[in-house]
Amino acid sequence: MSVKVAFIGLGVMGYPMAGHLQQAGHQVTVYNRTTTKAQRWAQEYQGAFAATPKEAVTEAELVFMCVGNDDDLRSVVYGDEGVLAGMKPGTVLIDHTTTSAKVAREVAERAAAQNVAFLDAPVSGGQAGAENGVLTVMVGGDPEVFERVQPVMAAFSRFSQLLGDVGAGQLCKMVNQICIAGVVQGLAEGLHFAKQAGLDGEKVVETIAKGAAGSWQMENRYKTMLAGEYDFGFAVDWMRKDLGIALDEARSNGASLSLTAMVDQYYADVQALGGGRFDTSSLLARLDAIHDKK
């Protein structure tokens, strides 16, 4: 069934996600802060674009967003030209941005005041997952609203799950990033150790990937890590933003995140090396830099 939708934010994730919605037969209108990108998307996918968030959503039944952070989210949701200024009662606002749970609840409350439903729905799978339409979606909100939206989200995802009330999706995404941080640091140290021990890193990984040490990160990143190439996914700058959100939440709920805090500081070291736009596997670059100084 074709649905009128709007998509706000055409970054490395949003651009292909909106494309999958259009290709699935939905009627998509997009908005992006840089209008030329929205025009390019509309030409590539034979969709429509709008000059403001408000204009993009006036006819939409569902409005999807994927922007940068809490402040970016507020900037497209609120105000005279924001999405809430244009959305009709009975429609649904779905946010795929990775934000704090606090801002998710804030936006949900503002939306509810004008009879607009809200789902916080951060995604995992990176740029490749968005381009291939195989993202994982972690959702917080009302079950009936989720059931209404899930078939449409299927255009760009292979799995979506409702975790609880509004905010639960963002909390789950924090868990996701906490786990990734630890795994990537372990992989970086393992590859660094193998190098220092004079082992063939390729053969080591081919061996241990078949056992308990195997992971998505190992399978998809070890070759580029060994080659010292770090332009293959989610940037360090964004990872630090996400880990900062998780650490803030942990200070509120009492969780102990000592490893996460440590890896966050290691990513700060990568930034200091000029690697803010490196992908998250660049923790190995930090270890190499330390070794080179000895």
Short mmCIF file of all heavy atoms in Angstrom, two decimals, residues 159-223:
data_model
loop_
_atom_site.label_atom_id
_atom_site.label_comp_id
_atom_site.label_asym_id
_atom_site.label_seq_id
_atom_site.Cartn_x
_atom_site.Cartn_y
_atom_site.Cartn_z
N PHE A 159 15.13 -5.75 10.20
CA PHE A 159 14.61 -6.10 11.52
C PHE A 159 14.29 -4.83 12.28
O PHE A 159 15.06 -3.87 12.27
CB PHE A 159 15.63 -6.92 12.31
CG PHE A 159 15.12 -7.37 13.66
CD1 PHE A 159 14.26 -8.45 13.76
CD2 PHE A 159 15.48 -6.70 14.82
CE1 PHE A 159 13.78 -8.88 15.00
CE2 PHE A 159 15.01 -7.11 16.06
CZ PHE A 159 14.16 -8.21 16.15
N SER A 160 13.12 -4.83 12.91
CA SER A 160 12.75 -3.72 13.79
C SER A 160 12.05 -4.30 15.01
O SER A 160 11.33 -5.29 14.90
CB SER A 160 11.86 -2.70 13.08
OG SER A 160 10.69 -3.32 12.57
N GLN A 161 12.28 -3.67 16.15
CA GLN A 161 11.73 -4.20 17.40
C GLN A 161 11.29 -3.07 18.31
O GLN A 161 12.01 -2.08 18.47
CB GLN A 161 12.77 -5.04 18.12
CG GLN A 161 12.32 -5.59 19.48
CD GLN A 161 12.38 -7.09 19.55
OE1 GLN A 161 11.59 -7.79 18.91
NE2 GLN A 161 13.32 -7.61 20.31
N LEU A 162 10.11 -3.22 18.89
CA LEU A 162 9.64 -2.28 19.89
C LEU A 162 10.20 -2.69 21.24
O LEU A 162 9.99 -3.82 21.70
CB LEU A 162 8.11 -2.27 19.93
CG LEU A 162 7.47 -1.27 20.88
CD1 LEU A 162 7.68 0.15 20.38
CD2 LEU A 162 5.97 -1.54 21.02
N LEU A 163 10.92 -1.77 21.90
CA LEU A 163 11.60 -2.07 23.16
C LEU A 163 10.85 -1.59 24.39
O LEU A 163 11.17 -1.99 25.51
CB LEU A 163 13.00 -1.46 23.16
CG LEU A 163 14.14 -2.16 22.40
CD1 LEU A 163 14.30 -3.60 22.81
CD2 LEU A 163 13.98 -2.04 20.91
N GLY A 164 9.87 -0.70 24.20
CA GLY A 164 9.16 -0.14 25.33
C GLY A 164 8.60 1.22 24.99
O GLY A 164 8.36 1.54 23.82
N ASP A 165 8.37 2.04 26.00
CA ASP A 165 7.82 3.37 25.80
C ASP A 165 8.82 4.28 25.09
O ASP A 165 9.99 3.92 24.90
CB ASP A 165 7.42 3.98 27.14
CG ASP A 165 6.27 3.23 27.81
OD1 ASP A 165 5.49 2.57 27.09
OD2 ASP A 165 6.17 3.29 29.05
N VAL A 166 8.37 5.47 24.73
CA VAL A 166 9.25 6.45 24.10
C VAL A 166 10.53 6.62 24.92
O VAL A 166 10.49 6.73 26.15
CB VAL A 166 8.53 7.81 23.95
CG1 VAL A 166 9.54 8.90 23.56
CG2 VAL A 166 7.43 7.72 22.91
N GLY A 167 11.65 6.60 24.25
CA GLY A 167 12.97 6.66 24.90
C GLY A 167 13.66 5.32 24.92
O GLY A 167 14.90 5.26 24.96
N ALA A 168 12.89 4.23 24.86
CA ALA A 168 13.49 2.90 24.93
C ALA A 168 14.33 2.59 23.71
O ALA A 168 15.35 1.89 23.80
CB ALA A 168 12.40 1.83 25.10
N GLY A 169 13.94 3.11 22.55
CA GLY A 169 14.73 2.90 21.35
C GLY A 169 16.11 3.53 21.49
O GLY A 169 17.13 2.91 21.16
N GLN A 170 16.14 4.76 22.01
CA GLN A 170 17.42 5.44 22.22
C GLN A 170 18.27 4.73 23.27
O GLN A 170 19.50 4.63 23.12
CB GLN A 170 17.20 6.90 22.61
CG GLN A 170 16.51 7.74 21.54
CD GLN A 170 17.32 7.86 20.27
OE1 GLN A 170 18.51 7.55 20.22
NE2 GLN A 170 16.68 8.33 19.21
N LEU A 171 17.65 4.23 24.31
CA LEU A 171 18.40 3.50 25.33
C LEU A 171 19.02 2.23 24.75
O LEU A 171 20.17 1.88 25.06
CB LEU A 171 17.50 3.17 26.52
CG LEU A 171 17.01 4.38 27.33
CD1 LEU A 171 15.95 3.94 28.34
CD2 LEU A 171 18.16 5.07 28.05
N CYS A 172 18.27 1.55 23.88
CA CYS A 172 18.80 0.35 23.23
C CYS A 172 19.97 0.71 22.32
O CYS A 172 20.97 -0.02 22.26
CB CYS A 172 17.69 -0.34 22.44
SG CYS A 172 18.20 -1.89 21.64
N LYS A 173 19.87 1.83 21.61
CA LYS A 173 20.97 2.27 20.75
C LYS A 173 22.22 2.56 21.58
O LYS A 173 23.34 2.30 21.15
CB LYS A 173 20.57 3.50 19.95
CG LYS A 173 21.66 4.04 18.99
CD LYS A 173 22.05 3.01 17.94
CE LYS A 173 23.19 3.50 17.04
NZ LYS A 173 22.75 4.51 16.05
N MET A 174 22.03 3.07 22.81
CA MET A 174 23.17 3.29 23.68
C MET A 174 23.86 1.97 24.01
O MET A 174 25.09 1.86 24.00
CB MET A 174 22.73 3.99 24.97
CG MET A 174 22.22 5.40 24.75
SD MET A 174 21.56 6.14 26.26
CE MET A 174 20.36 7.30 25.57
N VAL A 175 23.06 0.93 24.27
CA VAL A 175 23.61 -0.40 24.52
C VAL A 175 24.40 -0.87 23.29
O VAL A 175 25.51 -1.41 23.40
CB VAL A 175 22.49 -1.41 24.85
CG1 VAL A 175 23.06 -2.83 24.98
CG2 VAL A 175 21.76 -1.02 26.13
N ASN A 176 23.85 -0.64 22.12
CA ASN A 176 24.50 -1.02 20.87
C ASN A 176 25.89 -0.38 20.75
O ASN A 176 26.89 -1.05 20.46
CB ASN A 176 23.62 -0.57 19.70
CG ASN A 176 24.12 -1.07 18.35
OD1 ASN A 176 23.93 -2.23 18.00
ND2 ASN A 176 24.72 -0.18 17.59
N GLN A 177 25.96 0.91 21.03
CA GLN A 177 27.23 1.63 20.89
C GLN A 177 28.23 1.24 21.98
O GLN A 177 29.44 1.17 21.73
CB GLN A 177 27.01 3.14 20.89
CG GLN A 177 26.04 3.65 19.80
CD GLN A 177 26.44 3.26 18.40
OE1 GLN A 177 26.31 2.10 18.02
NE2 GLN A 177 26.91 4.23 17.63
N ILE A 178 27.73 0.98 23.18
CA ILE A 178 28.59 0.51 24.27
C ILE A 178 29.26 -0.81 23.87
O ILE A 178 30.47 -0.98 24.02
CB ILE A 178 27.77 0.32 25.56
CG1 ILE A 178 27.34 1.68 26.13
CG2 ILE A 178 28.55 -0.48 26.61
CD1 ILE A 178 26.24 1.58 27.19
N CYS A 179 28.47 -1.72 23.30
CA CYS A 179 29.01 -3.02 22.91
C CYS A 179 30.01 -2.89 21.77
O CYS A 179 31.06 -3.55 21.76
CB CYS A 179 27.87 -3.96 22.52
SG CYS A 179 26.80 -4.45 23.88
N ILE A 180 29.70 -2.05 20.79
CA ILE A 180 30.62 -1.85 19.67
C ILE A 180 31.96 -1.31 20.14
O ILE A 180 33.02 -1.77 19.71
CB ILE A 180 30.00 -0.92 18.62
CG1 ILE A 180 28.85 -1.62 17.89
CG2 ILE A 180 31.05 -0.44 17.62
CD1 ILE A 180 28.07 -0.72 16.96
N ALA A 181 31.91 -0.33 21.04
CA ALA A 181 33.14 0.31 21.51
C ALA A 181 34.10 -0.73 22.10
O ALA A 181 35.30 -0.74 21.78
CB ALA A 181 32.83 1.38 22.55
N GLY A 182 33.59 -1.60 22.94
CA GLY A 182 34.43 -2.62 23.56
C GLY A 182 34.97 -3.63 22.56
O GLY A 182 36.15 -4.01 22.61
N VAL A 183 34.12 -4.03 21.61
CA VAL A 183 34.55 -5.02 20.61
C VAL A 183 35.64 -4.45 19.71
O VAL A 183 36.64 -5.11 19.41
CB VAL A 183 33.34 -5.49 19.77
CG1 VAL A 183 33.81 -6.32 18.58
CG2 VAL A 183 32.40 -6.33 20.63
N VAL A 184 35.47 -3.20 19.26
CA VAL A 184 36.46 -2.59 18.37
C VAL A 184 37.80 -2.41 19.07
O VAL A 184 38.87 -2.65 18.49
CB VAL A 184 35.96 -1.26 17.80
CG1 VAL A 184 37.04 -0.60 16.95
CG2 VAL A 184 34.72 -1.46 16.97
N GLN A 185 37.76 -2.01 20.34
CA GLN A 185 39.01 -1.86 21.07
C GLN A 185 39.71 -3.21 21.22
O GLN A 185 40.93 -3.32 21.06
CB GLN A 185 38.76 -1.24 22.45
CG GLN A 185 40.00 -1.12 23.34
CD GLN A 185 41.10 -0.23 22.76
OE1 GLN A 185 40.83 0.57 21.86
NE2 GLN A 185 42.32 -0.37 23.25
N GLY A 186 38.95 -4.25 21.51
CA GLY A 186 39.54 -5.59 21.62
C GLY A 186 40.16 -6.04 20.31
O GLY A 186 41.27 -6.60 20.29
N LEU A 187 39.47 -5.79 19.21
CA LEU A 187 39.99 -6.16 17.89
C LEU A 187 41.26 -5.37 17.57
O LEU A 187 42.25 -5.93 17.08
CB LEU A 187 38.93 -5.91 16.82
CG LEU A 187 39.32 -6.16 15.38
CD1 LEU A 187 39.80 -7.59 15.17
CD2 LEU A 187 38.16 -5.84 14.45
N ALA A 188 41.25 -4.06 17.88
CA ALA A 188 42.43 -3.24 17.62
C ALA A 188 43.63 -3.74 18.41
O ALA A 188 44.74 -3.85 17.87
CB ALA A 188 42.13 -1.78 17.98
N GLU A 189 43.42 -4.07 19.67
CA GLU A 189 44.52 -4.57 20.49
C GLU A 189 45.00 -5.93 19.98
O GLU A 189 46.22 -6.21 19.98
CB GLU A 189 44.09 -4.66 21.95
CG GLU A 189 43.90 -3.29 22.60
CD GLU A 189 43.67 -3.36 24.10
OE1 GLU A 189 43.89 -4.45 24.69
OE2 GLU A 189 43.28 -2.33 24.69
N GLY A 190 44.07 -6.78 19.56
CA GLY A 190 44.47 -8.09 19.05
C GLY A 190 45.32 -7.97 17.79
O GLY A 190 46.35 -8.64 17.66
N LEU A 191 44.91 -7.13 16.86
CA LEU A 191 45.67 -6.95 15.63
C LEU A 191 47.02 -6.30 15.91
O LEU A 191 48.03 -6.66 15.28
CB LEU A 191 44.87 -6.12 14.63
CG LEU A 191 43.58 -6.75 14.09
CD1 LEU A 191 42.87 -5.79 13.15
CD2 LEU A 191 43.87 -8.07 13.39
N HIS A 192 47.03 -5.36 16.84
CA HIS A 192 48.28 -4.71 17.22
C HIS A 192 49.24 -5.73 17.84
O HIS A 192 50.43 -5.76 17.51
CB HIS A 192 47.97 -3.59 18.22
CG HIS A 192 49.18 -2.89 18.75
ND1 HIS A 192 49.99 -2.09 17.98
CD2 HIS A 192 49.74 -2.89 20.00
CE1 HIS A 192 50.97 -1.60 18.72
NE2 HIS A 192 50.84 -2.09 19.95
N PHE A 193 48.72 -6.56 18.70
CA PHE A 193 49.53 -7.61 19.33
C PHE A 193 50.08 -8.57 18.29
O PHE A 193 51.27 -8.94 18.33
CB PHE A 193 48.68 -8.36 20.36
CG PHE A 193 49.41 -9.46 21.07
CD1 PHE A 193 50.09 -9.23 22.26
CD2 PHE A 193 49.42 -10.76 20.55
CE1 PHE A 193 50.76 -10.25 22.92
CE2 PHE A 193 50.10 -11.79 21.19
CZ PHE A 193 50.77 -11.53 22.39
N ALA A 194 49.23 -8.99 17.35
CA ALA A 194 49.67 -9.92 16.32
C ALA A 194 50.83 -9.32 15.51
O ALA A 194 51.82 -10.00 15.19
CB ALA A 194 48.51 -10.27 15.39
N LYS A 195 50.71 -8.05 15.20
CA LYS A 195 51.76 -7.36 14.45
C LYS A 195 53.07 -7.34 15.23
O LYS A 195 54.14 -7.63 14.69
CB LYS A 195 51.31 -5.94 14.12
CG LYS A 195 52.23 -5.18 13.17
CD LYS A 195 51.80 -3.73 13.02
CE LYS A 195 50.40 -3.61 12.50
NZ LYS A 195 50.01 -2.20 12.26
N GLN A 196 52.97 -7.00 16.52
CA GLN A 196 54.16 -6.92 17.35
C GLN A 196 54.80 -8.30 17.56
O GLN A 196 56.01 -8.41 17.75
CB GLN A 196 53.83 -6.28 18.70
CG GLN A 196 53.37 -4.84 18.62
CD GLN A 196 54.35 -3.98 17.85
OE1 GLN A 196 54.04 -3.45 16.78
NE2 GLN A 196 55.56 -3.85 18.37
N ALA A 197 53.96 -9.32 17.53
CA ALA A 197 54.46 -10.68 17.74
C ALA A 197 55.02 -11.29 16.46
O ALA A 197 55.51 -12.44 16.48
CB ALA A 197 53.34 -11.56 18.29
N GLY A 198 54.94 -10.57 15.35
CA GLY A 198 55.46 -11.07 14.10
C GLY A 198 54.57 -12.07 13.40
O GLY A 198 55.03 -12.83 12.53
N LEU A 199 53.28 -12.07 13.74
CA LEU A 199 52.33 -12.98 13.11
C LEU A 199 51.75 -12.37 11.84
O LEU A 199 51.73 -11.15 11.68
CB LEU A 199 51.20 -13.32 14.08
CG LEU A 199 51.60 -14.07 15.36
CD1 LEU A 199 50.40 -14.18 16.29
CD2 LEU A 199 52.14 -15.45 15.03
N ASP A 200 51.26 -13.23 10.96
CA ASP A 200 50.54 -12.79 9.77
C ASP A 200 49.11 -12.47 10.19
O ASP A 200 48.33 -13.38 10.51
CB ASP A 200 50.56 -13.91 8.72
CG ASP A 200 49.90 -13.52 7.42
OD1 ASP A 200 48.86 -12.83 7.45
OD2 ASP A 200 50.41 -13.90 6.35
N GLY A 201 48.77 -11.18 10.21
CA GLY A 201 47.45 -10.77 10.70
C GLY A 201 46.32 -11.41 9.93
O GLY A 201 45.29 -11.79 10.52
N GLU A 202 46.46 -11.54 8.61
CA GLU A 202 45.42 -12.16 7.79
C GLU A 202 45.15 -13.60 8.23
O GLU A 202 44.01 -14.00 8.42
CB GLU A 202 45.85 -12.15 6.31
CG GLU A 202 45.85 -10.78 5.68
CD GLU A 202 44.59 -10.53 4.86
OE1 GLU A 202 43.77 -11.46 4.75
OE2 GLU A 202 44.43 -9.40 4.36
N LYS A 203 46.23 -14.36 8.41
CA LYS A 203 46.07 -15.77 8.81
C LYS A 203 45.52 -15.88 10.22
O LYS A 203 44.72 -16.78 10.52
CB LYS A 203 47.40 -16.50 8.69
CG LYS A 203 47.86 -16.70 7.26
CD LYS A 203 49.15 -17.50 7.19
CE LYS A 203 49.57 -17.74 5.74
NZ LYS A 203 50.84 -18.49 5.67
N VAL A 204 45.95 -14.97 11.10
CA VAL A 204 45.43 -14.98 12.47
C VAL A 204 43.91 -14.82 12.47
O VAL A 204 43.18 -15.58 13.09
CB VAL A 204 46.09 -13.88 13.32
CG1 VAL A 204 45.34 -13.69 14.64
CG2 VAL A 204 47.55 -14.21 13.60
N VAL A 205 43.44 -13.81 11.73
CA VAL A 205 42.01 -13.54 11.72
C VAL A 205 41.25 -14.67 11.03
O VAL A 205 40.17 -15.08 11.49
CB VAL A 205 41.71 -12.19 11.06
CG1 VAL A 205 40.20 -12.00 10.87
CG2 VAL A 205 42.27 -11.05 11.91
N GLU A 206 41.79 -15.20 9.94
CA GLU A 206 41.14 -16.32 9.27
C GLU A 206 40.95 -17.49 10.23
O GLU A 206 39.98 -18.25 10.14
CB GLU A 206 41.98 -16.77 8.07
CG GLU A 206 41.91 -15.83 6.88
CD GLU A 206 42.85 -16.26 5.77
OE1 GLU A 206 43.46 -17.35 5.90
OE2 GLU A 206 42.98 -15.51 4.78
N THR A 207 41.87 -17.62 11.18
CA THR A 207 41.81 -18.71 12.15
C THR A 207 40.84 -18.42 13.28
O THR A 207 39.92 -19.19 13.54
CB THR A 207 43.21 -18.98 12.73
OG1 THR A 207 44.11 -19.26 11.66
CG2 THR A 207 43.17 -20.15 13.71
N ILE A 208 41.01 -17.28 13.94
CA ILE A 208 40.21 -17.03 15.14
C ILE A 208 38.78 -16.58 14.83
O ILE A 208 37.89 -16.70 15.69
CB ILE A 208 40.89 -15.99 16.06
CG1 ILE A 208 40.93 -14.61 15.42
CG2 ILE A 208 42.30 -16.45 16.44
CD1 ILE A 208 41.44 -13.53 16.36
N ALA A 209 38.54 -16.10 13.61
CA ALA A 209 37.18 -15.66 13.25
C ALA A 209 36.21 -16.82 13.22
O ALA A 209 34.99 -16.63 13.32
CB ALA A 209 37.19 -14.94 11.90
N LYS A 210 36.75 -18.03 13.08
CA LYS A 210 35.89 -19.21 13.03
C LYS A 210 35.43 -19.65 14.42
O LYS A 210 34.57 -20.52 14.55
CB LYS A 210 36.63 -20.37 12.36
CG LYS A 210 37.19 -20.07 10.99
CD LYS A 210 36.11 -19.78 9.97
CE LYS A 210 36.68 -19.75 8.55
NZ LYS A 210 37.68 -18.67 8.34
N GLY A 211 36.03 -19.06 15.46
CA GLY A 211 35.69 -19.46 16.82
C GLY A 211 35.00 -18.37 17.60
O GLY A 211 34.35 -17.48 17.04
N ALA A 212 35.17 -18.40 18.92
CA ALA A 212 34.43 -17.51 19.80
C ALA A 212 34.85 -16.05 19.67
O ALA A 212 34.12 -15.16 20.10
CB ALA A 212 34.61 -17.97 21.26
N ALA A 213 36.01 -15.81 19.08
CA ALA A 213 36.48 -14.42 18.94
C ALA A 213 35.82 -13.70 17.77
O ALA A 213 35.94 -12.47 17.65
CB ALA A 213 38.00 -14.39 18.76
N GLY A 214 35.14 -14.43 16.91
CA GLY A 214 34.56 -13.83 15.72
C GLY A 214 33.51 -12.78 16.04
O GLY A 214 32.81 -12.85 17.05
N SER A 215 33.42 -11.77 15.16
CA SER A 215 32.43 -10.70 15.33
C SER A 215 32.19 -10.02 13.99
O SER A 215 32.98 -10.19 13.05
CB SER A 215 32.93 -9.66 16.34
OG SER A 215 34.05 -8.95 15.83
N TRP A 216 31.14 -9.22 13.92
CA TRP A 216 30.88 -8.43 12.71
C TRP A 216 32.05 -7.51 12.44
O TRP A 216 32.48 -7.36 11.29
CB TRP A 216 29.60 -7.62 12.88
CG TRP A 216 29.19 -6.86 11.65
CD1 TRP A 216 28.29 -7.25 10.70
CD2 TRP A 216 29.70 -5.58 11.20
NE1 TRP A 216 28.19 -6.30 9.70
CE2 TRP A 216 29.05 -5.26 9.98
CE3 TRP A 216 30.64 -4.68 11.71
CZ2 TRP A 216 29.30 -4.09 9.28
CZ3 TRP A 216 30.91 -3.51 11.00
CH2 TRP A 216 30.24 -3.23 9.80
N GLN A 217 32.57 -6.88 13.48
CA GLN A 217 33.68 -5.95 13.31
C GLN A 217 34.90 -6.66 12.74
O GLN A 217 35.58 -6.14 11.85
CB GLN A 217 34.03 -5.30 14.66
CG GLN A 217 32.91 -4.47 15.27
CD GLN A 217 32.61 -3.21 14.48
OE1 GLN A 217 33.45 -2.72 13.74
NE2 GLN A 217 31.41 -2.69 14.65
N MET A 218 35.18 -7.85 13.25
CA MET A 218 36.33 -8.61 12.76
C MET A 218 36.14 -8.96 11.29
O MET A 218 37.04 -8.75 10.46
CB MET A 218 36.52 -9.88 13.59
CG MET A 218 37.73 -10.71 13.17
SD MET A 218 37.97 -12.15 14.23
CE MET A 218 38.52 -11.37 15.75
N GLU A 219 34.98 -9.47 10.95
CA GLU A 219 34.72 -9.92 9.58
C GLU A 219 34.78 -8.77 8.58
O GLU A 219 35.30 -8.92 7.48
CB GLU A 219 33.35 -10.60 9.51
CG GLU A 219 32.98 -11.10 8.13
CD GLU A 219 31.61 -11.76 8.10
OE1 GLU A 219 31.07 -12.05 9.19
OE2 GLU A 219 31.09 -11.99 6.99
N ASN A 220 34.25 -7.60 8.97
CA ASN A 220 34.09 -6.50 8.03
C ASN A 220 35.19 -5.44 8.07
O ASN A 220 35.27 -4.61 7.17
CB ASN A 220 32.74 -5.82 8.25
CG ASN A 220 31.58 -6.68 7.82
OD1 ASN A 220 31.20 -6.70 6.66
ND2 ASN A 220 31.02 -7.43 8.76
N ARG A 221 36.01 -5.45 9.11
CA ARG A 221 36.97 -4.36 9.26
C ARG A 221 38.43 -4.79 9.36
O ARG A 221 39.33 -3.96 9.25
CB ARG A 221 36.62 -3.52 10.50
CG ARG A 221 35.34 -2.72 10.38
CD ARG A 221 35.52 -1.55 9.41
NE ARG A 221 34.25 -0.82 9.25
CZ ARG A 221 33.42 -1.01 8.26
NH1 ARG A 221 33.67 -1.92 7.33
NH2 ARG A 221 32.30 -0.32 8.17
N TYR A 222 38.71 -6.07 9.55
CA TYR A 222 40.10 -6.42 9.84
C TYR A 222 41.04 -6.12 8.67
O TYR A 222 42.17 -5.67 8.87
CB TYR A 222 40.23 -7.89 10.29
CG TYR A 222 40.34 -8.91 9.19
CD1 TYR A 222 41.59 -9.31 8.70
CD2 TYR A 222 39.21 -9.49 8.62
CE1 TYR A 222 41.70 -10.25 7.69
CE2 TYR A 222 39.31 -10.42 7.61
CZ TYR A 222 40.56 -10.81 7.14
OH TYR A 222 40.67 -11.72 6.15
N LYS A 223 40.59 -6.35 7.44
CA LYS A 223 41.47 -6.12 6.29
C LYS A 223 41.83 -4.64 6.15
O LYS A 223 43.00 -4.30 5.91
CB LYS A 223 40.82 -6.63 5.01
CG LYS A 223 40.77 -8.14 4.90
CD LYS A 223 40.25 -8.59 3.54
CE LYS A 223 40.26 -10.11 3.44
NZ LYS A 223 39.77 -10.57 2.11
#
